[in-house]
Amino acid sequence: MNPVRRRRLLFVVAVVAASALSMTLVALALQRNVAYLYTPHEVLGGAAGPAVASGDARFRLGGMVAGDSFSRAEGSMEARFRVTDGDAELPVRYTGLLPDLFREHQAVVATGRMDGDTFVAEQVLARHDETYVPKEVADKMGLAHDRHGIETPTDASSAQ
């Protein structure tokens, strides 16, 4: 083989190998940081998978803060509340400052892991205005509302 062609071939092979290696590293890094969104019904029902139920997988829990479920021990930063999707409720434990807009009966998305039957949140996000609910949460909760015949604000406004 001609030495010039051989150098070109080795260069092309090296570029392809470097590209494959970099794409593999990027894919692995992204896969480790992915946090899927599940509702309490999916977590408790087993649809989220065994890694979620065992606490091995980090995921996002979405739903509404259940009424009369928030508690915080005096002098403690640990907050306890329940998240519901209309079908199931999951207890949540969070240590830290909650967002200013965090309230009962409001949409919430928490990131963390399961610890037995309790979700231990590392981060809690609350909705930011009167009409916002994260799209993934709204879609999943809409299915629960349809199953239970609960009228949503969009149903009420379209009926008028």
Side-chain angles (χ1 to χ4, degrees):
M1 186 182 286
N2 186 341
V4 173
R5 283 188 179 168
R6 185 176 183 155
R7 260 186 272 142
R8 284 184 189 160
L9 180 62
L10 289 175
F11 178 73
V12 169
V13 168
V15 167
V16 168
S19 297
L21 179 64
S22 65
M23 293 300 285
T24 302
L25 292 175
V26 167
L28 289 173
L30 290 175
Q31 186 177 12
R32 247 183 287 150
N33 291 325
V34 169
Y36 295 102
L37 178 87
Y38 297 110
T39 62
H41 178 71
E42 292 171 328
V43 173
L44 295 174
V52 167
S54 68
D56 293 336
R58 182 174 178 253
F59 67 99
R60 292 182 299 151
L61 176 68
M64 304 292 274
V65 178
D68 298 325
S69 69
F70 180 78
S71 67
R72 184 183 300 241
E74 193 171 323
S76 171
M77 293 294 290
E78 182 176 278
R80 292 180 179 267
F81 55 94
R82 291 187 319 273
V83 174
T84 182
D85 62 356
D87 286 334
E89 286 189 3
L90 189 63
V92 177
R93 185 175 72 229
Y94 175 69
T95 302
L97 295 174
L98 289 166
D100 290 338
L101 297 175
F102 180 87
R103 291 180 185 80
E104 293 177 345
H105 304 291
Q106 300 291 336
V108 67
V109 175
T111 304
R113 300 174 190 273
M114 291 298 294
D115 181 19
D117 293 336
T118 303
F119 180 77
V120 179
E122 301 164 1
Q123 180 183 32
V124 175
L125 303 173
R127 70 186 200 145
H128 64 79
D129 70 34
E130 290 298 318
T131 58
Y132 177 75
V133 175
K135 181 179 178 353
E136 297 154 314
V137 174
D139 291 345
K140 290 182 179 185
M141 289 189 65
L143 295 173
H145 288 164
D146 290 344
R147 279 196 303 271
H148 296 291
I150 297 171
E151 188 174 303
T152 61
T154 56
D155 295 338
S157 64
S158 64
Q160 294 176 354

Short mmCIF file of all heavy atoms in Angstrom, two decimals, residues 16-65:
data_model
loop_
_atom_site.label_atom_id
_atom_site.label_comp_id
_atom_site.label_asym_id
_atom_site.label_seq_id
_atom_site.Cartn_x
_atom_site.Cartn_y
_atom_site.Cartn_z
N VAL A 16 -12.46 7.97 13.56
CA VAL A 16 -13.67 7.17 13.84
C VAL A 16 -13.60 6.59 15.25
O VAL A 16 -14.59 6.61 15.99
CB VAL A 16 -13.83 6.06 12.77
CG1 VAL A 16 -14.90 5.05 13.19
CG2 VAL A 16 -14.17 6.66 11.43
N ALA A 17 -12.44 6.08 15.67
CA ALA A 17 -12.30 5.51 17.02
C ALA A 17 -12.47 6.59 18.09
O ALA A 17 -13.15 6.37 19.10
CB ALA A 17 -10.94 4.84 17.16
N ALA A 18 -11.89 7.76 17.87
CA ALA A 18 -12.03 8.86 18.83
C ALA A 18 -13.49 9.31 18.91
O ALA A 18 -14.00 9.59 20.00
CB ALA A 18 -11.13 10.02 18.45
N SER A 19 -14.16 9.38 17.78
CA SER A 19 -15.58 9.77 17.77
C SER A 19 -16.43 8.75 18.52
O SER A 19 -17.30 9.12 19.31
CB SER A 19 -16.09 9.91 16.34
OG SER A 19 -15.41 10.92 15.67
N ALA A 20 -16.19 7.48 18.28
CA ALA A 20 -16.95 6.43 18.96
C ALA A 20 -16.71 6.48 20.47
O ALA A 20 -17.65 6.35 21.26
CB ALA A 20 -16.57 5.07 18.40
N LEU A 21 -15.48 6.68 20.87
CA LEU A 21 -15.16 6.76 22.29
C LEU A 21 -15.83 7.97 22.94
O LEU A 21 -16.42 7.85 24.03
CB LEU A 21 -13.64 6.83 22.50
CG LEU A 21 -13.17 6.95 23.94
CD1 LEU A 21 -13.55 5.71 24.73
CD2 LEU A 21 -11.68 7.19 24.00
N SER A 22 -15.77 9.11 22.29
CA SER A 22 -16.39 10.31 22.87
C SER A 22 -17.91 10.17 22.94
O SER A 22 -18.52 10.57 23.93
CB SER A 22 -15.99 11.56 22.09
OG SER A 22 -16.50 11.51 20.77
N MET A 23 -18.53 9.59 21.93
CA MET A 23 -19.99 9.40 21.96
C MET A 23 -20.38 8.42 23.08
O MET A 23 -21.39 8.61 23.75
CB MET A 23 -20.48 8.87 20.62
CG MET A 23 -20.35 9.89 19.49
SD MET A 23 -21.26 11.39 19.80
CE MET A 23 -22.90 10.84 19.49
N THR A 24 -19.58 7.39 23.29
CA THR A 24 -19.85 6.43 24.37
C THR A 24 -19.76 7.11 25.73
O THR A 24 -20.62 6.91 26.60
CB THR A 24 -18.87 5.25 24.29
OG1 THR A 24 -18.99 4.63 23.01
CG2 THR A 24 -19.12 4.24 25.39
N LEU A 25 -18.74 7.92 25.93
CA LEU A 25 -18.58 8.62 27.20
C LEU A 25 -19.72 9.61 27.45
O LEU A 25 -20.23 9.72 28.57
CB LEU A 25 -17.23 9.34 27.25
CG LEU A 25 -16.00 8.43 27.30
CD1 LEU A 25 -14.72 9.24 27.22
CD2 LEU A 25 -16.03 7.57 28.55
N VAL A 26 -20.14 10.33 26.42
CA VAL A 26 -21.26 11.26 26.55
C VAL A 26 -22.54 10.51 26.89
O VAL A 26 -23.30 10.91 27.77
CB VAL A 26 -21.43 12.09 25.26
CG1 VAL A 26 -22.76 12.83 25.25
CG2 VAL A 26 -20.29 13.07 25.10
N ALA A 27 -22.79 9.40 26.20
CA ALA A 27 -24.00 8.61 26.47
C ALA A 27 -24.00 8.08 27.90
O ALA A 27 -25.04 8.11 28.58
CB ALA A 27 -24.10 7.46 25.47
N LEU A 28 -22.88 7.60 28.39
CA LEU A 28 -22.81 7.10 29.76
C LEU A 28 -23.03 8.22 30.78
O LEU A 28 -23.72 8.02 31.79
CB LEU A 28 -21.46 6.42 30.02
CG LEU A 28 -21.25 5.08 29.32
CD1 LEU A 28 -19.83 4.59 29.52
CD2 LEU A 28 -22.24 4.06 29.84
N ALA A 29 -22.47 9.39 30.53
CA ALA A 29 -22.65 10.51 31.44
C ALA A 29 -24.11 10.96 31.47
O ALA A 29 -24.67 11.24 32.54
CB ALA A 29 -21.76 11.68 31.03
N LEU A 30 -24.74 11.03 30.32
CA LEU A 30 -26.15 11.43 30.28
C LEU A 30 -27.05 10.40 30.94
O LEU A 30 -28.01 10.74 31.62
CB LEU A 30 -26.59 11.68 28.84
CG LEU A 30 -26.00 12.91 28.16
CD1 LEU A 30 -26.42 12.97 26.70
CD2 LEU A 30 -26.43 14.17 28.89
N GLN A 31 -26.75 9.13 30.72
CA GLN A 31 -27.57 8.08 31.30
C GLN A 31 -27.52 8.11 32.82
O GLN A 31 -28.52 7.88 33.49
CB GLN A 31 -27.08 6.72 30.79
CG GLN A 31 -27.96 5.56 31.22
CD GLN A 31 -27.47 4.26 30.63
OE1 GLN A 31 -26.37 4.17 30.09
NE2 GLN A 31 -28.29 3.23 30.75
N ARG A 32 -26.37 8.43 33.40
CA ARG A 32 -26.25 8.50 34.85
C ARG A 32 -27.02 9.66 35.44
O ARG A 32 -27.44 9.62 36.59
CB ARG A 32 -24.78 8.61 35.24
CG ARG A 32 -24.29 7.38 35.96
CD ARG A 32 -22.88 7.51 36.40
NE ARG A 32 -22.03 7.41 35.20
CZ ARG A 32 -20.88 8.01 35.06
NH1 ARG A 32 -20.39 8.74 36.01
NH2 ARG A 32 -20.18 7.88 33.96
N ASN A 33 -27.18 10.74 34.68
CA ASN A 33 -27.85 11.93 35.19
C ASN A 33 -29.32 12.00 34.85
O ASN A 33 -29.99 12.95 35.22
CB ASN A 33 -27.15 13.18 34.67
CG ASN A 33 -25.78 13.33 35.28
OD1 ASN A 33 -25.59 12.98 36.44
ND2 ASN A 33 -24.83 13.81 34.52
N VAL A 34 -29.85 11.02 34.13
CA VAL A 34 -31.26 11.02 33.76
C VAL A 34 -32.09 10.69 34.99
O VAL A 34 -31.79 9.75 35.73
CB VAL A 34 -31.53 10.01 32.63
CG1 VAL A 34 -33.00 9.80 32.43
CG2 VAL A 34 -30.89 10.47 31.35
N ALA A 35 -33.12 11.46 35.22
CA ALA A 35 -34.06 11.19 36.32
C ALA A 35 -35.46 11.16 35.72
O ALA A 35 -35.98 12.19 35.29
CB ALA A 35 -33.95 12.26 37.40
N TYR A 36 -36.06 9.99 35.64
CA TYR A 36 -37.38 9.84 35.06
C TYR A 36 -38.44 10.34 36.02
O TYR A 36 -38.27 10.30 37.24
CB TYR A 36 -37.63 8.38 34.71
CG TYR A 36 -36.71 7.87 33.63
CD1 TYR A 36 -35.61 7.09 33.93
CD2 TYR A 36 -36.93 8.21 32.31
CE1 TYR A 36 -34.76 6.65 32.94
CE2 TYR A 36 -36.09 7.77 31.31
CZ TYR A 36 -35.01 6.99 31.63
OH TYR A 36 -34.16 6.56 30.65
N LEU A 37 -39.57 10.79 35.48
CA LEU A 37 -40.67 11.29 36.29
C LEU A 37 -41.72 10.19 36.47
O LEU A 37 -42.17 9.60 35.49
CB LEU A 37 -41.34 12.51 35.63
CG LEU A 37 -42.53 13.04 36.41
CD1 LEU A 37 -42.04 14.03 37.45
CD2 LEU A 37 -43.53 13.69 35.50
N TYR A 38 -42.06 9.92 37.71
CA TYR A 38 -43.10 8.94 38.03
C TYR A 38 -44.10 9.56 38.99
O TYR A 38 -43.77 10.47 39.74
CB TYR A 38 -42.50 7.69 38.68
CG TYR A 38 -41.55 6.93 37.78
CD1 TYR A 38 -40.19 6.92 38.04
CD2 TYR A 38 -42.02 6.25 36.67
CE1 TYR A 38 -39.32 6.23 37.21
CE2 TYR A 38 -41.16 5.56 35.84
CZ TYR A 38 -39.80 5.55 36.12
OH TYR A 38 -38.94 4.88 35.30
N THR A 39 -45.30 9.04 38.98
CA THR A 39 -46.33 9.46 39.92
C THR A 39 -46.34 8.47 41.09
O THR A 39 -45.79 7.37 40.97
CB THR A 39 -47.72 9.47 39.25
OG1 THR A 39 -48.05 8.14 38.83
CG2 THR A 39 -47.75 10.43 38.06
N PRO A 40 -46.97 8.83 42.20
CA PRO A 40 -47.04 7.89 43.33
C PRO A 40 -47.67 6.54 42.95
O PRO A 40 -47.21 5.49 43.39
CB PRO A 40 -47.90 8.62 44.36
CG PRO A 40 -47.62 10.07 44.09
CD PRO A 40 -47.50 10.15 42.59
N HIS A 41 -48.69 6.57 42.10
CA HIS A 41 -49.35 5.33 41.67
C HIS A 41 -48.37 4.42 40.93
O HIS A 41 -48.37 3.21 41.14
CB HIS A 41 -50.57 5.66 40.80
CG HIS A 41 -51.28 4.45 40.29
ND1 HIS A 41 -52.02 3.64 41.11
CD2 HIS A 41 -51.35 3.92 39.04
CE1 HIS A 41 -52.53 2.65 40.38
NE2 HIS A 41 -52.12 2.80 39.12
N GLU A 42 -47.54 5.00 40.07
CA GLU A 42 -46.57 4.20 39.32
C GLU A 42 -45.50 3.62 40.23
O GLU A 42 -45.07 2.48 40.06
CB GLU A 42 -45.92 5.04 38.22
CG GLU A 42 -46.88 5.42 37.11
CD GLU A 42 -46.30 6.43 36.15
OE1 GLU A 42 -45.49 7.28 36.58
OE2 GLU A 42 -46.66 6.37 34.96
N VAL A 43 -45.07 4.39 41.22
CA VAL A 43 -44.03 3.92 42.15
C VAL A 43 -44.58 2.81 43.03
O VAL A 43 -43.99 1.73 43.14
CB VAL A 43 -43.49 5.08 43.01
CG1 VAL A 43 -42.54 4.56 44.08
CG2 VAL A 43 -42.79 6.11 42.14
N LEU A 44 -45.73 3.04 43.65
CA LEU A 44 -46.31 2.06 44.57
C LEU A 44 -46.85 0.83 43.84
O LEU A 44 -46.86 -0.26 44.39
CB LEU A 44 -47.40 2.70 45.41
CG LEU A 44 -46.92 3.80 46.36
CD1 LEU A 44 -48.10 4.48 47.03
CD2 LEU A 44 -45.95 3.25 47.37
N GLY A 45 -47.30 1.02 42.58
CA GLY A 45 -47.83 -0.09 41.81
C GLY A 45 -46.77 -0.95 41.15
O GLY A 45 -47.08 -1.99 40.58
N GLY A 46 -45.53 -0.51 41.16
CA GLY A 46 -44.45 -1.29 40.57
C GLY A 46 -44.17 -0.98 39.11
O GLY A 46 -43.26 -1.54 38.52
N ALA A 47 -44.96 -0.08 38.50
CA ALA A 47 -44.75 0.26 37.09
C ALA A 47 -43.45 1.00 36.86
O ALA A 47 -42.92 1.02 35.75
CB ALA A 47 -45.92 1.10 36.57
N ALA A 48 -42.89 1.61 37.90
CA ALA A 48 -41.64 2.35 37.77
C ALA A 48 -40.43 1.43 37.73
O ALA A 48 -39.35 1.85 37.34
CB ALA A 48 -41.50 3.34 38.93
N GLY A 49 -40.59 0.19 38.13
CA GLY A 49 -39.50 -0.78 38.07
C GLY A 49 -38.89 -1.09 39.42
O GLY A 49 -39.04 -0.33 40.38
N PRO A 50 -38.18 -2.20 39.49
CA PRO A 50 -37.60 -2.63 40.77
C PRO A 50 -36.46 -1.73 41.26
O PRO A 50 -36.26 -1.60 42.46
CB PRO A 50 -37.09 -4.05 40.48
CG PRO A 50 -36.95 -4.11 38.99
CD PRO A 50 -37.97 -3.17 38.42
N ALA A 51 -35.73 -1.10 40.35
CA ALA A 51 -34.63 -0.22 40.78
C ALA A 51 -35.16 1.00 41.51
O ALA A 51 -34.56 1.48 42.46
CB ALA A 51 -33.79 0.21 39.58
N VAL A 52 -36.33 1.50 41.09
CA VAL A 52 -36.95 2.65 41.75
C VAL A 52 -37.46 2.23 43.12
O VAL A 52 -37.21 2.90 44.12
CB VAL A 52 -38.09 3.23 40.88
CG1 VAL A 52 -38.94 4.19 41.67
CG2 VAL A 52 -37.52 3.90 39.65
N ALA A 53 -38.17 1.12 43.19
CA ALA A 53 -38.75 0.66 44.46
C ALA A 53 -37.68 0.33 45.50
O ALA A 53 -37.88 0.54 46.69
CB ALA A 53 -39.63 -0.54 44.21
N SER A 54 -36.52 -0.17 45.05
CA SER A 54 -35.48 -0.56 45.99
C SER A 54 -34.62 0.61 46.46
O SER A 54 -33.85 0.48 47.39
CB SER A 54 -34.56 -1.61 45.34
OG SER A 54 -33.82 -1.02 44.29
N GLY A 55 -34.74 1.76 45.78
CA GLY A 55 -33.94 2.92 46.16
C GLY A 55 -32.64 3.02 45.39
O GLY A 55 -31.83 3.91 45.66
N ASP A 56 -32.40 2.11 44.45
CA ASP A 56 -31.17 2.15 43.67
C ASP A 56 -31.18 3.27 42.64
O ASP A 56 -30.14 3.80 42.29
CB ASP A 56 -30.94 0.81 42.95
CG ASP A 56 -30.65 -0.31 43.94
OD1 ASP A 56 -30.20 -0.01 45.06
OD2 ASP A 56 -30.89 -1.48 43.58
N ALA A 57 -32.36 3.60 42.11
CA ALA A 57 -32.46 4.59 41.04
C ALA A 57 -32.94 5.93 41.58
O ALA A 57 -33.84 6.00 42.42
CB ALA A 57 -33.43 4.10 39.97
N ARG A 58 -32.34 6.98 41.08
CA ARG A 58 -32.76 8.34 41.39
C ARG A 58 -33.83 8.72 40.37
O ARG A 58 -33.68 8.44 39.18
CB ARG A 58 -31.55 9.25 41.25
CG ARG A 58 -31.78 10.67 41.59
CD ARG A 58 -30.42 11.39 41.55
NE ARG A 58 -30.58 12.78 41.81
CZ ARG A 58 -30.49 13.74 40.90
NH1 ARG A 58 -30.20 13.43 39.66
NH2 ARG A 58 -30.66 14.98 41.24
N PHE A 59 -34.94 9.32 40.82
CA PHE A 59 -36.01 9.68 39.91
C PHE A 59 -36.74 10.91 40.41
O PHE A 59 -36.51 11.39 41.52
CB PHE A 59 -36.98 8.51 39.72
CG PHE A 59 -37.78 8.15 40.96
CD1 PHE A 59 -39.07 8.59 41.13
CD2 PHE A 59 -37.22 7.35 41.94
CE1 PHE A 59 -39.79 8.26 42.26
CE2 PHE A 59 -37.94 7.00 43.07
CZ PHE A 59 -39.23 7.46 43.23
N ARG A 60 -37.63 11.45 39.57
CA ARG A 60 -38.46 12.59 39.95
C ARG A 60 -39.85 12.08 40.28
O ARG A 60 -40.41 11.27 39.55
CB ARG A 60 -38.53 13.61 38.81
CG ARG A 60 -37.20 14.29 38.56
CD ARG A 60 -37.28 15.32 37.46
NE ARG A 60 -37.67 14.68 36.22
CZ ARG A 60 -38.33 15.26 35.24
NH1 ARG A 60 -38.70 16.51 35.34
NH2 ARG A 60 -38.63 14.61 34.14
N LEU A 61 -40.39 12.58 41.37
CA LEU A 61 -41.74 12.24 41.79
C LEU A 61 -42.61 13.46 41.55
O LEU A 61 -42.31 14.55 42.03
CB LEU A 61 -41.74 11.88 43.29
CG LEU A 61 -43.10 11.59 43.91
CD1 LEU A 61 -43.67 10.29 43.33
CD2 LEU A 61 -42.97 11.48 45.42
N GLY A 62 -43.68 13.28 40.79
CA GLY A 62 -44.56 14.40 40.47
C GLY A 62 -45.97 14.17 40.93
O GLY A 62 -46.46 13.04 40.93
N GLY A 63 -46.63 15.24 41.33
CA GLY A 63 -48.02 15.16 41.75
C GLY A 63 -48.40 16.42 42.49
O GLY A 63 -47.82 17.49 42.29
N MET A 64 -49.40 16.29 43.36
CA MET A 64 -49.89 17.40 44.16
C MET A 64 -49.59 17.10 45.63
O MET A 64 -49.64 15.96 46.05
CB MET A 64 -51.40 17.57 44.00
CG MET A 64 -51.85 17.74 42.56
SD MET A 64 -51.32 19.28 41.87
CE MET A 64 -52.63 20.33 42.38
N VAL A 65 -49.29 18.15 46.39
CA VAL A 65 -49.09 17.98 47.83
C VAL A 65 -50.47 17.73 48.44
O VAL A 65 -51.39 18.53 48.26
CB VAL A 65 -48.43 19.23 48.45
CG1 VAL A 65 -48.27 19.05 49.95
CG2 VAL A 65 -47.09 19.50 47.80
#
